[in-house]
């Protein structure tokens, strides 16, 4: 459903992505791994149209969206949870969720299913986003993206700075979305264990390039670990 082919991205004179290709299928989880600064977030931002790529193409459900504005990509069914969550601290949980409806089909309301996935949010509906814990904020950010009813969910380091029990909850939700609801998931991570447990495909980035990719079972674990420590 998502087919990224050979994209290049520069920030001024410095090349950030070089010929990066990656694909996501419905009902499957593709995970991009790599050390800090290798270009993972830049890749996701390029897919969302938040950065303008210098070369290559982004195709979504068979259409070339390389030059499509970000808001249209969201309306076309691509949900994005940025690194650092970016929830609105002064809005309540309910209001944060409602901000997603701009990208949802007309007449939509907050999807009550998100409260089945993240029961804590129902309990804290009137609480301000800024008063939630990091893990709760991450759950809110994912729930907000889901309110736009995406067919592809893109997540940038959802486990960053979060307690292990909440990481497990988030992992379960991601697996459920893909396996039971047929959603495509593109996940960026720094933690190999979390990624390997979830992913149908892994891609390991090193300095702006995909250095190794494939099904987790087919990849040499030592080689992966080496690439994550260089
Ligand atoms: N807006 C920007 N302007 C200039 N350089 C940037 C910008 N965003 C990221 N970079 C640089 O691009 C590289 C990749 O960053 P990023 O995509 O955030 O990596 P990652 O998510 O893998 O940690 C880093 O060297 C970073 O400093
Ligand atoms: Mg990043």
């Amino acid at each position: 459903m998502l087919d990224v082919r050979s994209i290049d991205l520069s920030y001024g004179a410095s090349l950030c992505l070089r010929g990066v290709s990656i694909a996501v299928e419905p009902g499957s989880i593709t995970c991009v791994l790599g050390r800090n600064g290798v270009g993972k977030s830049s890749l996701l931002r390029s897919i969302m149209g938040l950065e303008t790529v210098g070369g290559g193409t982004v195709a979504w459900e068979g259409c070339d969206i390389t030059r499509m504005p970000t808001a249209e990509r969201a309306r076309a069914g691509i949900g994005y949870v940025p690194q650092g969550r970016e929830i609105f601290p002064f809005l309540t949980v309910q209001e944060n969720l409602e901000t997603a409806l701009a990208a949802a089909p007309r007449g939509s309301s907050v999807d009550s299913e998100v409260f089945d996935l993240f029961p804590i949010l129902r309990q804290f509906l009137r609480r301000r986003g800024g008063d939630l814990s990091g893990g709760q904020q991450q759950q809110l950010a994912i729930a907000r993206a889901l309110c736009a009813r995406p067919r592809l969910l893109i997540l940038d380091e959802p486990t960053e700075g979060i307690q292990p029990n909440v990481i497990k909850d988030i992992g379960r939700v991601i697996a459920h979305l893909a396996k039971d609801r047929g959603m495509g998931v593109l996940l960026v991570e720094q933690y190999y264990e979390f990624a390997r447990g979830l992913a149908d495909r892994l891609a390991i980035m090193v300095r702006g390039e995909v250095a190794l990719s494939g099904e987790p079972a087919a990849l040499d674990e030592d080689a992966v670990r080496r690439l994550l420590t260089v």
Side-chain angles (χ1 to χ4, degrees):
M1 69 198 315
L2 180 75
D3 192 6
V4 175
R5 292 236 178 127
S6 200
I7 59 171
D8 301 318
L9 174 71
S10 304
Y11 292 117
S14 79
L15 206 52
C16 174
L17 299 175
R18 289 172 239 235
V20 173
S21 297
I22 201 144
V24 185
E25 298 302 330
S28 86
I29 302 173
T30 298
C31 185
V32 177
L33 281 163
R35 303 262 307 160
N36 244 328
V38 297
K40 305 181 299 298
S41 295
S42 299
L43 171 61
L44 299 190
R45 291 174 56 79
S46 300
I47 293 169
M48 286 315 294
L50 294 163
E51 306 291 349
T52 305
V53 297
T57 57
V58 180
W60 167 242
E61 295 182 335
C63 299
D64 185 340
I65 61 163
T66 315
R67 304 283 160 220
M68 184 186 270
T70 300
E72 275 181 47
R73 297 184 202 212
R75 275 195 294 275
I78 306 179
Y80 172 54
V81 182
Q83 188 167 14
R85 314 185 264 274
E86 296 186 15
I87 59 146
F88 299 102
F90 298 114
L91 298 185
T92 64
V93 166
Q94 170 86 29
E95 289 163 344
N96 265 281
L97 293 172
E98 285 168 353
T99 62
L101 299 179
R106 219 176 268 272
S108 300
S109 56
V110 170
D111 185 352
S112 65
E113 276 181 51
V114 300
F115 302 120
D116 299 335
L117 298 177
F118 301 113
I120 193 78
L121 297 180
R122 180 184 280 127
Q123 199 179 320
F124 287 169
L125 265 183
R126 314 250 154 266
R127 198 169 284 203
R128 288 205 299 191
D131 294 336
L132 302 181
S133 71
Q136 291 159 356
Q137 289 184 357
Q138 187 64 59
Q139 294 177 71
L140 173 57
I142 297 171
R144 180 176 60 183
L146 292 175
C147 283
R149 299 175 197 270
R151 295 188 292 287
L152 170 68
L153 185 63
I154 296 179
L155 302 143
D156 197 345
E157 297 205 31
T159 65
E160 192 181 27
I162 287 177
Q163 294 169 359
N165 63 321
V166 183
I167 291 179
K168 279 205 188 109
D169 288 344
I170 289 174
R172 270 195 291 271
V173 167
I174 292 171
H176 164 74
L177 292 171
K179 302 306 152 196
D180 305 328
R181 296 221 214 150
M183 203 176 278
V185 176
L186 176 58
L187 173 70
V188 155
E189 262 298 329
Q190 285 209 37
Y191 300 112
Y192 181 36
E193 278 66 32
F194 183 77
R196 188 183 45 187
L198 273 176
D200 298 295
R201 279 192 79 77
L202 290 174
I204 295 95
M205 285 181 69
V206 178
R207 278 179 259 105
E209 293 178 287
V210 175
L212 187 65
S213 68
E215 293 176 16
L219 296 181
D220 174 7
E221 224 171 273
D222 293 333
V224 172
R225 285 187 199 282
R226 266 198 303 280
L227 293 174
L228 294 177
T229 51
V230 287

